[in-house]
Amino acid sequence: MTAAPASVGPLAAIRRRRVADPAFRWVLLGASLLVLVVLALMIGSTTLDAIPVFVSQGIWSFLTGTTWDPGFSRTEITGTYQAGVFIYGTLVTSLIAIVVALPVAIGIGLFLTNVAPRRLARPLVYLVELLAAVPSVVYGLWGLHFFAPVVLKPAAQAISGELGWLPIFAGPVIAFNFFFAGIVLAIMIVPIISAIVREVFAAVPEAERQAAYAMGATRWEVMRSVVLPRSRPGIIGATMLGLGRALGETIAVALLIGGGTAINASIFQQGESIAAKIVNTFQESSPEGIDALIALGVTLFALTIVINLAARLIVRRMGDVSGEAVA
Amino acid sequence: MTSAAPVARPSLRQASGPARRRAAFSGAMNALLAAAVLLALIPLGLILAVIVAKGLPAMNWEFLTGTFNFSRRESGGGYLHGLVGTLYMGGLAALMAIPAGIAAAVFLTEFPRHPVSGPVRFFSDVMTGVPSVFVGLFVYTLLVRRIGFGTFVGAVSLAIIMLPIVVRSSEEILKLVPGELKRASYALGARRWQTVLSVVIPTAAPGLVTGAMLAVARALGETAPLVLTALAANQVVFDLQGSGQSALPLLIFREARGAFEAGQQRAWAGALELMLLVLVLTVLARLIGARRPAGT
Amino acid sequence: MNADLLGAGATFPDPLYQEWIGAFVGDNPGVTITYEPIGSGGGVEQFTAKSTDFGGSDAFMTDDELAAAQDAWGCDVVHIPTVFGAVAVAYNLSGVESLTLDSETLAAIFLGEVTQWNDPAIADLNEGVSLPDEPVIVAHRSDGSGTTSIFTTYLDDESADWHDQVGKGKEVGWPVGVGGQGNDGVAAAIAQNDGGIGYVELSYAIQNDLSVASMVNADGKAIEPSLESTAAAADGIEIPDDLRFSILDVGGDGYPIAGATWILAPTCGMDATKADALKAFLTWALQGGDGTAEELLYAPIGEALQDKALANVERINEGGQ
């Protein structure tokens, strides 16, 4: 072949396409780094702003004390910031949510993978996923003005009537409390947990299930002796992911938890969560108050990150889970 | 294996004693599991039913096209400013997050062994779990303290929430594109960027669109980050930055916790409006995603 | 006039301010005024941060807050009282149409010492009213509030126990109770809890059909909160020059838990058209404002105070930009 000058003709076109490749790669790399940069900035800038508060208060005192008395300084930390009440509220509502959501989600997962015929399972999966599409503020409004007064309050009063001698069920039932927030939270996290456990149950080797059937096991016995034991890490991982979501949930909890200022023993009394406190007091906070709220946010973030990381490590041990189910 | 005469399978229903009990127990457990599904679906039904029942009566033309009516005690006025704000900030956020997210996902699938890929994938996962109020705090300290509240910073906070979702879901979709298609493209002499842009992306397009729309639907429903960045507005705001912006979730949040009957009615109508928006996006997304071209 | 004003603050006067704004803006189409009810604490904070053009607060700024605001704006900041309002003690107790309380009992309730409605402390003040044996559910503000300031200043003045244990201010360490956001939130908290009791600006109680208690004033009379009793409470109080004052020791026919609400504005640093618009609005409002105030049961500030208030309005942006 005769050699043509490199700047003209078909060889030039090939050269241009070849050069475009590294440029393309840089663009894609840049986009990927964006994710890392955003996360690093998030952790970095918020932690930096929070440090003066932690230093002034002392980490142990910040985490366990119960006095939140913001100062009004524009330059230094003068208030008392102890997040015990909010940490307690966050943990209690999330615990209630998990205790209620986990059995339901496992039941859904088992039903859809081992009991329901495929044609029934597909639309049911779709419907359960729809629960995840409802925005948090809608859950809050519905919970506050319908579900709590109409369904949860009578239930709570019944429980409190029978078991009110136990401090955690003591009455009277306040119109906004841990229980209401926790139950609505449970409804919100059921789709997340059930999506993952469904994947986990479906990943149980077919051969083992069939072997159990072949030995005469009933459907339930197969679930109990094959599917569930094999799925334990995945269930734990799914639980922790649901828990992580519950810890960070803001608006529905803010509307239902009651703005309490002290640690109350009964789940039928008011409380306050970290996220709700941030969103409620943000607009009126002085610069030092905002730093204190950031410190609260960093605490919450640390908590949810630890739980999320642990969950993903555990779920990963069960094999790859699709991004759609996890997100 | 020699063929044997087919053996009639004994039905558990005809068994006796312990086998019968186990069968009955299994049946009972099946019913229990079905009840679990019902337990999840009943709230869903209640939510949809109640929102329609309470929201529809309050949703009239004035609600859809009016803004704040300057009266706490009287009914009337509307949420137009919230609708405009939601769509405006959601659109901006989509513009920021979707191309970047898909590009990052392409990188993760094309260069899976690059040292950056592992951390990006891992941290995207982690970021999907960040509490949305924390994202709001971050954007507040980084941007609002410097350039004030507004539409743009609200959109940035929504984009940060959307980004990891788009990255992870897009990556899963891109991984499904058959290797043969890519290898065929290379065999024809195409470079990597040509392959990605002309073969991979079009093939994955329905799934990518689904992921993107679901991320947008999620962002439209967010409230907490907007409280800390968009703040509020009483009228329709088209400014990009410098004055507060409203959004449907913000209006619902404010009026839901008040005692004024008129405000609560508007909140229900707003919730219906928001749900319709989110549901339409979600259903559309799934429909588009269900259409898969042959070969995938 | 063409201007875009942003103010934020107290929820106490919010129903009134919004209707005032609606009427004023209706007559002056070039002007938009947005008032965000984020609580007096927020009002002072956002004004000091200069994110708003003016603030609203029912707690006049303390010396420290005033200094910080003047620092931020670089000049004097004026307090402009707009109306008086009553802080009603609203309650939700089926079957109990009227209730009388005094400051000691009120303090005891909010301290958590009186926990049942048929407690002798309440019963003694309400002979002939059958009080149920139900728990008292206290509701208070969870945000920084001027209404809280008026309420706690009253209790702090009247009850030694309250003074020792809680004190006064926009935010206090409440011993018991559910928190609500804004006057609106507290009204909701009372309405949704059987046996609920809380403090809200009067119009919030009336607009939401909540019963209000009559309070025993310094002369031993049980007075219901109303337009007349609010005006009577403000009658004859001494007004200092900077217009920062509390209403205490109310006797005669006055309702004892009442207060003024202020607009906070800077004397410099505003855009001229904005300042003109703000001055026009406040002047119109102070000179009658279409009578909306009385409709919503806020008492106008009376002539002597009005002159001083208008003088402060004149001072808005006197130093220019």
Side-chain angles (χ1 to χ4, degrees), chain C residues 228-237 247-248 250-251 253-258:
Chain C
E228 295 76 28
S229 59
T230 309
D235 219 11
I237 43 170
I247 301 179
L248 291 171
V250 174
D253 286 323
Y255 178 74
I257 320 179

Side-chain angles (χ1 to χ4, degrees), chain A residues 9-82:
Chain A
L11 273 179
I14 295 177
R15 191 139 178 267
R16 274 195 300 274
R17 288 201 298 270
R18 206 179 340 128
V19 160
D21 240 11
F24 184 61
R25 189 154 159 269
W26 282 114
V27 166
L28 296 183
L29 179 61
S32 310
L33 288 177
L34 190 64
V35 173
L36 289 179
V37 163
V38 168
L39 188 67
L41 263 182
M42 234 191 329
I43 301 179
S45 106
T46 50
T47 310
L48 268 173
D49 282 330
I51 284 181
V53 177
F54 288 128
V55 163
S56 145
Q57 191 64 43
I59 296 221
W60 183 250
S61 163
F62 182 84
L63 292 175
T64 56
T66 56
T67 309
W68 186 269
D69 187 17
F72 299 100
S73 168
R74 318 202 79 75
T75 50
E76 45 169 358
I77 310 291
T78 58
T80 304
Y81 301 107
Q82 296 172 335

Side-chain angles (χ1 to χ4, degrees), chain A residues 30-149:
Chain A
S32 310
L33 288 177
L34 190 64
V35 173
L36 289 179
V37 163
V38 168
L39 188 67
L41 263 182
M42 234 191 329
I43 301 179
S45 106
T46 50
T47 310
L48 268 173
D49 282 330
I51 284 181
V53 177
F54 288 128
V55 163
S56 145
Q57 191 64 43
I59 296 221
W60 183 250
S61 163
F62 182 84
L63 292 175
T64 56
T66 56
T67 309
W68 186 269
D69 187 17
F72 299 100
S73 168
R74 318 202 79 75
T75 50
E76 45 169 358
I77 310 291
T78 58
T80 304
Y81 301 107
Q82 296 172 335
V85 173
F86 318 124
I87 296 178
Y88 178 79
T90 304
L91 290 176
V92 167
T93 48
S94 306
L95 200 61
I96 294 175
I98 286 288
V99 161
V100 171
L102 187 59
V104 174
I106 292 181
I108 294 176
L110 284 177
F111 184 80
L112 292 176
T113 52
N114 284 279
V115 177
R118 175 124 359 130
R119 279 176 52 199
L120 182 59
R122 289 252 316 267
L124 284 181
V125 165
Y126 188 69
L127 284 178
V128 173
E129 297 293 289
L130 217 48
L131 274 177
V134 177
S136 169
V137 70
V138 173
Y139 269 115
L141 170 70
W142 172 81
L144 183 62
H145 288 296
F146 172 76
F147 198 54

Side-chain angles (χ1 to χ4, degrees), chain B residues 68-74 140 149 231-235 239 242-244 253-261 264, chain C residues 14-15 18-19 21-22 25 33-38 46 51 181 184-185 187-188 203-204 207-208 292 295-296:
Chain B
F68 183 44
N69 67 342
F70 293 109
S71 175
R72 297 292 179 207
R73 51 178 170 159
E74 282 175 31
Y140 176 80
F149 299 104
L231 203 70
N234 274 341
Q235 309 297 327
D239 295 347
S243 68
F253 185 45
R254 157 83 62 75
E255 303 218 271
R257 48 195 344 186
F260 290 107
E261 194 60 48
Q264 286 174 17
Chain C
D14 177 59
Q18 299 300 349
E19 297 208 10
I21 291 172
V25 160
I33 307 179
T34 305
Y35 180 76
E36 281 301 316
I38 60 178
Q46 295 299 335
S51 353
Q181 282 286 104
D184 219 4
S203 62
Y204 286 87
Q207 300 296 337
N208 295 299
T292 320
E295 252 181 69
L296 289 170

